[in-house]
Amino acid sequence: MAENQSTAPETKSAEATQVETESGTETSIAEQQAAELAAANDKYLRLYAEFDNYKRRVSKERIELMQTAGKEIIANLLPVIDDFDRAIKAFETATELEPLKEGVSLVGQKLKNILTQQGLKEMESIGKPFDAELQEAITNVPAPSEDLKGKVIDEIEKGYFLHGKVLRHAKVVVGS
């Protein structure tokens, strides 16, 4: 019996060691999972902060772009404003109208050229069939001839395209 008693404490200590080892393993697994969770949480927070910074930067750039979008065209129009100022001064001291008309016409042509370079194009409406997508009918008048029925007879206000899209619809008189 003494032999049995001596083995019993050895068995207990082996079992205790095994439990201690298992709890130690459990502790190290729990510590490892906690470390992985902390690393994943840190990575998430950094990505979230980076994305938030990206959104702020893009928003700021968009606002900046909108504020300076017209800068180029305005810079191109400044010489036209100067020309109009000179024309107004010339009207004050002019004795002949013909040179003034020609000067104002040249300034108007310069303005149209600048706008054309920026993508503006005039609509051709007179004599063409009425198109509700491009034109706004102000009124219908009896057509002077049979071939002008349903076509644009007169243009009250020109229409314009900007880069191929309608910027302003033409206001027209249609023959009926």
Side-chain angles (χ1 to χ4, degrees), residues 52-136:
D52 196 39
N53 289 339
Y54 168 77
K55 286 192 319 186
R56 265 191 247 122
R57 186 179 73 243
V58 167
S59 176
K60 183 180 175 183
E61 287 173 357
R62 185 177 295 142
I63 289 169
E64 209 172 278
L65 178 66
M66 288 172 42
Q67 290 174 343
T68 61
K71 182 179 178 181
E72 181 182 338
I73 192 164
I74 291 171
N76 289 339
L77 290 175
L78 290 177
V80 175
I81 292 171
D82 295 338
D83 289 347
F84 273 121
D85 288 342
R86 284 191 283 275
I88 290 170
K89 283 183 183 176
F91 273 112
E92 294 172 0
T93 60
T95 56
E96 292 185 36
L97 288 178
E98 197 57 40
L100 293 176
K101 285 182 184 178
E102 186 179 331
V104 171
S105 175
L106 289 172
V107 173
Q109 190 61 40
K110 187 177 191 178
L111 176 63
K112 284 182 180 183
N113 287 339
I114 290 171
L115 294 174
T116 301
Q117 291 171 356
Q118 296 297 320
L120 189 73
K121 182 180 174 192
E122 290 182 357
M123 262 184 219
E124 299 294 326
S125 297
I126 296 178
K128 305 230 172 157
F130 175 72
D131 183 0
E133 298 286 323
L134 303 176
Q135 300 149 343
E136 181 181 336

Side-chain angles (χ1 to χ4, degrees), residues 6-72:
S6 66
T7 57
E10 291 175 9
T11 309
K12 282 186 179 179
S13 66
E15 286 176 3
T17 307
Q18 189 176 14
V19 171
E20 286 176 12
T21 308
E22 286 177 5
S23 66
T25 306
E26 288 175 11
T27 305
S28 66
I29 290 174
E31 288 174 358
Q32 187 179 11
Q33 288 175 343
E36 288 175 4
L37 180 62
N41 192 28
D42 183 56
K43 184 177 179 183
Y44 167 74
L45 288 175
R46 289 180 188 278
L47 283 173
Y48 185 79
E50 186 176 326
F51 181 68
D52 196 39
N53 289 339
Y54 168 77
K55 286 192 319 186
R56 265 191 247 122
R57 186 179 73 243
V58 167
S59 176
K60 183 180 175 183
E61 287 173 357
R62 185 177 295 142
I63 289 169
E64 209 172 278
L65 178 66
M66 288 172 42
Q67 290 174 343
T68 61
K71 182 179 178 181
E72 181 182 338

